[in-house]
């Protein structure tokens, strides 16, 4: 089987990357051990195949057969274009170009005491014990091949720590850019966010490229959400249309904490998002929102897991998809209610708008309920633009294309409007719109 | 202004309009009455350009132009307005945005510049007062969660803002209580002008007490079977459509 041969070669190339890294590294032994474990698990598991239930509708064959070389630090300036910044206003920005921290493009902003924002690499050197205690604790290297691969090979990322009781209004923006010579390269961004008791934080991750190139991003972000704390997370995936993007987000929530996640996935030829939160303390609340909007031959997959481990927790999940062309999407929403998680209240909704007859969606709730006193509801819809609504708009003088755009935008905007942080919300509205039509003016309220 | 000649239209292969003739001159108000299923709403929708109805025969001339060649949006821009019997709910689009987009499309077509936010707002406020519409309604999504009466008032409000040359009101009175009916009628009457023509499609005579037509036509089984002045509406109200059926059978 030539495919199997190609795949093995690609897997071997990751192993070679790992070996080279091991030779070069004189870093902390705990980290070397963690990486080694990751590599071993990846070699054992290999890339997932469509025979695995969680990957049934997302074929990684092309990704698995492509040999990507590790991305080298690039000339920062080539990655920067006018739109590189995701939103306006003050933020602590951590910028990584081709997976390497760029001190020149990053701006720490003036952060209050008790807040640490730095590159993960730096944190490993200066706050080793802190990182060691948390890194890889919740992301599942043992069962997730891409997490294992990331753990083995990550070069850098962000480390954020918010001390107990600190309320941080300034957003922390993690910007992953690709330079215009990133063709054929891979990065494994790794982020660790630790939010203390009663603290509050806003973390934005954006992934984008300035050039239409084929590359691979394999990111992992771990959140430790302390008791009574509140975290909003916005993740924008706007990679090149040729790119592969695999992103894992894992949150571990303490008692009475709130985690609000928004995943907006627009780019890449193949994007896979695994978003999981463990509600590990009583009274924790989690909201997972998401929007995927794809066209052409793009494929986007969201696998979400809400793991209710303790009683009296609530989760809300609200995902919408817009599919055009020959694109395809997957939504798989798992809700696990463990034996002790009585009084769980979980609501899930996934709505899809198909703009073309050739687009396909696979949507599935996956409920695993072991407690008896719970409320779990779920619903999924797949539909087209309503011709009567289009006629209504046209009968008021709005042209056919504009009417279609307006309705599509309104559908997508329903997710975006749930982002609390206004500058990110507005920037996203503008981004979505520029993909749809030139008629809208920035700042205009829909 | 509008000439409908021998109009035949069908939906899903079933002929609904079977040769309708109608002439509306500038400034006139015409009422089209008829029992359920006679084709009233079909006629209204065909005039606005709804494509589920196929025109098999006949012509519609509007201001000297072939209306059937025009897309729905072009008809609207040329001054035709259909007040829907069942106004659509458009979640996620505010009334304000929708109306502004509509108005600026119409203005653009007339060679006028876009209204800026301030001018638009003052125009809208003035028209809202006319129809006793709450300003909070403007920031709500189009018709979403509106009561039946609010939806109908919103239609007339849009009409007031867009100032059409030919307004077609499709059963605007259905589902309205007497107070809402009066408000709607007042709104329409305020728009009466020698330049504006109005077609009122209704099942009942009630609305015509408030919006007094110049002509009344009866559409029955896809054809205009009787025309007259406003007194025809009263006669229909008194005798019902059954009377007409008998008369037609005799004839």
């Amino acid at each position: 089987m030539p495919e199997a041969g190609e795949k093995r070669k690609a897997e071997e190339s990751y192993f070679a990357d790992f070996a080279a890294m091991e030779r070069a590294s004189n870093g902390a032994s705990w980290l070397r051990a963690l990486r080694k474990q990751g590599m071993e698990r990846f070699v054992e598991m290999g890339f997932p195949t469509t025979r695995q239930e969680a990957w049934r509708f997302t074929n990684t064959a092309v990704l698995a057969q492509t040999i990507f070389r590790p991305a080298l630090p690039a000339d920062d300036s080539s990655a920067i274009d006018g739109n590189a910044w995701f939103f306006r206003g003050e933020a602590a920005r951590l910028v990584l170009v081709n997976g390497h921290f760029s001190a020149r493009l990053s701006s720490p902003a003036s952060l209050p005491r008790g807040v640490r924002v730095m590159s993960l690499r730096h944190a490993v050197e200066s706050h080793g014990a802190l990182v060691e205690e948390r890194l890889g604790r919740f992301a599942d290297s043992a069962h997730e091949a891409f997490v294992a691969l990331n753990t083995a090979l990550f070069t850098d990322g962000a480390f954020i720590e918010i001390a107990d009781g600190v309320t941080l209004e300034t957003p922390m923006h993690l910007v992953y850019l690709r330079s215009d010579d990133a063709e054929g390269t891979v990065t494994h961004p790794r982020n660790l966010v630790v939010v203390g008791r009663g603290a509050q934080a806003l973390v934005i991750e954006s992934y984008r490229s300035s050039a239409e190139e084929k590359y691979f991003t394999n990111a992992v972000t771990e959140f430790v959400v302390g008791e009574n704390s509140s975290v909003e997370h916005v993740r924008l995936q706007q990679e090149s249309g040729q790119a592969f993007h695999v992103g894992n987000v894992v949150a571990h929530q303490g008692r009475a904490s709130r985690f609000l996640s928004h995943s907006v996935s627009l780019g890449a030829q193949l994007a896979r998002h695994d978003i999981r939160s463990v509600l590990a303390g009583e009274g924790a609340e989690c909201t997972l929102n998401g929007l995927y909007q794809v066209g052409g031959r793009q494929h986007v997959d969201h696998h979400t897991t809400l793991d209710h481990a303790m009683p009296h927790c609530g989760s809300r999940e609200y995902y919408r998809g817009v599919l055009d062309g020959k694109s395809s999407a997957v939504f798989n929403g798992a809700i696990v209610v463990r034996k002790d998680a009585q009084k769980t209240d979980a609501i899930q909704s996934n709505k899809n708008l198909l703009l073309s007859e050739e687009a396909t969606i696979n949507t599935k709730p996956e409920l695993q309920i072991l407690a008896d006193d719970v409320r779990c509801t779920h619903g999924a819809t797949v539909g087209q633009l309503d011709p009567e609504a289009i006629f209504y708009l046209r009968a008021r003088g709005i042209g056919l294309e504009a009417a279609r755009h307006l309705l599509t935008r309104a559908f997508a905007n329903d997710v975006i409007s749930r982002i609390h942080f206004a500058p990110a919300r507005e920037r996203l509205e503008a981004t979505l719109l520029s993909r749809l039509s030139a008629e809208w003016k920035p700042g205009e309220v829909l | 202004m509008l000439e409908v000649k021998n109009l035949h239209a069908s939906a899903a292969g079933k002929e609904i309009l079977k040769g309708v003739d109608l002439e509306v001159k500038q400034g006139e108000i015409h009422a089209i009455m008829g029992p359920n299923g006679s084709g009233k709403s079909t006629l209204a929708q065909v005039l606005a350009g709804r494509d589920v109805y196929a025109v098999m025969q006949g012509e519609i001339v509007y201001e000297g132009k072939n209306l059937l060649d025009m897309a729905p949006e072009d008809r609207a821009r040329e001054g035709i307005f259909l007040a829907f019997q069942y106004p659509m709910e458009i979640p996620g689009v505010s009334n304000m945005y929708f109306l502004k987009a509509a108005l600026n499309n119409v203005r653009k077509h007339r060679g006028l510049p876009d209204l800026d936010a301030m001018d638009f707002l003052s125009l809208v406020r003035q028209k809202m007062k006319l129809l006793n519409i709450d300003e909070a309604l403007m920031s709500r999504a189009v018709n979403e969660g509106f009561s039946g009466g609010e939806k109908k008032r919103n239609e007339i409000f849009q009409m007031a803002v867009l100032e059409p040359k030919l307004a077609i009101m499709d059963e605007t009175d259905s589902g309205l209580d007497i107070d809402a009916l009066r408000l709607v009628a007042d709104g329409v009457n305020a728009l009466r002008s020698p330049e504006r023509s109005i077609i009122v499609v209704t099942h009942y005579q009630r609305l015509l007490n408030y919006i007094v037509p110049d002509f009344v036509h009866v559409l029955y089984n896809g054809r205009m079977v009787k025309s007259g002045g406003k007194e025809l509406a009263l006669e229909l109200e008194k005798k019902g459509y059954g009377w007409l059926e008998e008369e037609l059978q005799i004839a």
Side-chain angles (χ1 to χ4, degrees), chain A residues 409-427:
Chain A
R409 206 169 102 210
F411 179 85
N413 212 41
D414 205 85
V415 173
I416 301 302
S417 65
R418 291 161 193 256
I419 296 174
H420 292 182
F421 179 62
R425 186 176 65 233
E426 286 156 12
R427 185 71 182 83

Side-chain angles (χ1 to χ4, degrees), chain B residues 109-178:
Chain B
H109 188 75
R110 293 177 188 165
L112 299 168
D114 278 10
L115 273 191
D116 66 31
M118 291 310 290
D119 290 343
F120 177 71
L121 205 63
S122 71
L123 172 75
V124 157
R125 287 212 172 106
Q126 179 201 333
K127 307 287 186 186
M128 274 191 291
K129 213 178 264 173
L130 187 75
L131 283 145
N132 197 17
I133 281 178
D134 186 356
E135 209 167 317
L137 193 129
M138 290 304 289
S139 53
R140 283 167 60 187
V142 179
N143 293 322
E144 196 184 31
F146 286 24
S147 69
E150 279 176 330
K151 281 182 183 170
K152 295 298 176 75
R153 255 190 293 159
N154 195 25
E155 291 293 288
I156 306 307
F157 167 60
Q158 291 170 24
M159 173 175 151
V161 171
L162 297 175
E163 301 187 315
K165 296 181 202 167
L166 172 65
I168 303 152
M169 298 169 53
D170 187 7
E171 309 245 3
T172 300
D173 51 337
S174 67
L176 292 187
D177 62 28
I178 193 71

Side-chain angles (χ1 to χ4, degrees), chain A residues 386-389 391-401 406-407 409-411 413-414 439-441 444-446, chain B residues 48-50 71-73 76-77 81-82 84 87-88 90-94 97-98 100-102 105 143 155 158 162:
Chain A
D386 179 357
E388 290 193 44
F391 176 64
Y392 188 65
L393 295 172
R394 294 178 81 187
R396 295 294 176 261
I398 297 167
L400 175 60
E401 274 309 291
L406 185 60
L407 294 173
R409 206 169 102 210
F411 179 85
N413 212 41
D414 205 85
E439 255 190 48
W440 176 87
K441 299 171 196 76
E444 208 170 13
V445 178
L446 196 61
Chain B
R50 182 83 164 104
E73 56 269 33
R77 292 165 189 172
F81 181 95
L82 171 66
F84 282 63
M88 289 302 298
I90 319 263
V93 180
S94 75
Y97 184 92
F98 165 63
K100 197 170 159 198
N105 268 296
N143 293 322
E155 291 293 288
Q158 291 170 24
L162 297 175

